[in-house]
């Protein structure tokens, strides 16, 4: 649900709003930065987390433009979230016990 919700929020709502007043390149930058900023308290937290999430958000925005829809960014986001969750439960949780 997280990936789908974030894709609708950033690759539809933010992207389309920016696109209504500017170019697709600017829309990609705006939604990527917004996506990055919302992850300030994510993992990793702070500026590094924002930078990583911004680059990822930019990539998903480009993927949306290139694919012409949301299917590709949603699939990519689901795959990334599944990878992160798997690594978390295989590496972080056992190390904490």
């Amino acid at each position: 649900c997280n990936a789908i919700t974030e894709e609708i929020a950033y690759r539809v709502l933010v992207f389309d709003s920016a696109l209504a007043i500017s170019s697709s390149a600017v829309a990609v930058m705006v939604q990527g930065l917004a996506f990055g900023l919302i992850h300030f308290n994510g993992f990793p937290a702070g500026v590094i987390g924002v930078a990583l999430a911004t680059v990822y958000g930019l990539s998903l925005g480009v993927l949306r433009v290139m694919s012409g829809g949301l299917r590709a960014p949603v699939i990519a986001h689901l795959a990334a979230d599944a990878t992160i969750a798997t690594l978390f439960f295989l590496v972080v949780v056992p190390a904490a016990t």
Side-chain angles (χ1 to χ4, degrees), residues 22-60:
S22 193
S23 68
S24 60
V26 171
V28 167
M29 288 186 278
V30 168
Q31 63 80 38
L33 183 58
F35 184 77
L37 290 171
I38 200 69
H39 287 86
F40 184 81
N41 292 317
F43 181 79
V47 175
I48 292 174
V50 169
L52 291 171
T54 297
V55 170
Y56 185 56
L58 292 170
S59 300
L60 291 172

Side-chain angles (χ1 to χ4, degrees), residues 17 30 80 84:
S17 296
V30 168
I84 292 165

Side-chain angles (χ1 to χ4, degrees), residues 13-97:
L13 299 175
V14 175
F15 181 90
D16 288 351
S17 296
L19 186 59
I21 59 172
S22 193
S23 68
S24 60
V26 171
V28 167
M29 288 186 278
V30 168
Q31 63 80 38
L33 183 58
F35 184 77
L37 290 171
I38 200 69
H39 287 86
F40 184 81
N41 292 317
F43 181 79
V47 175
I48 292 174
V50 169
L52 291 171
T54 297
V55 170
Y56 185 56
L58 292 170
S59 300
L60 291 172
V62 169
L63 190 56
R64 185 215 166 163
V65 171
M66 291 178 66
S67 69
L70 275 184
R71 183 175 297 150
V74 166
I75 291 169
H77 201 147
L78 287 168
D81 284 357
T83 301
I84 292 165
T86 300
L87 290 172
F88 179 79
F89 287 109
L90 289 177
V91 177
V92 176
V93 171
T97 57

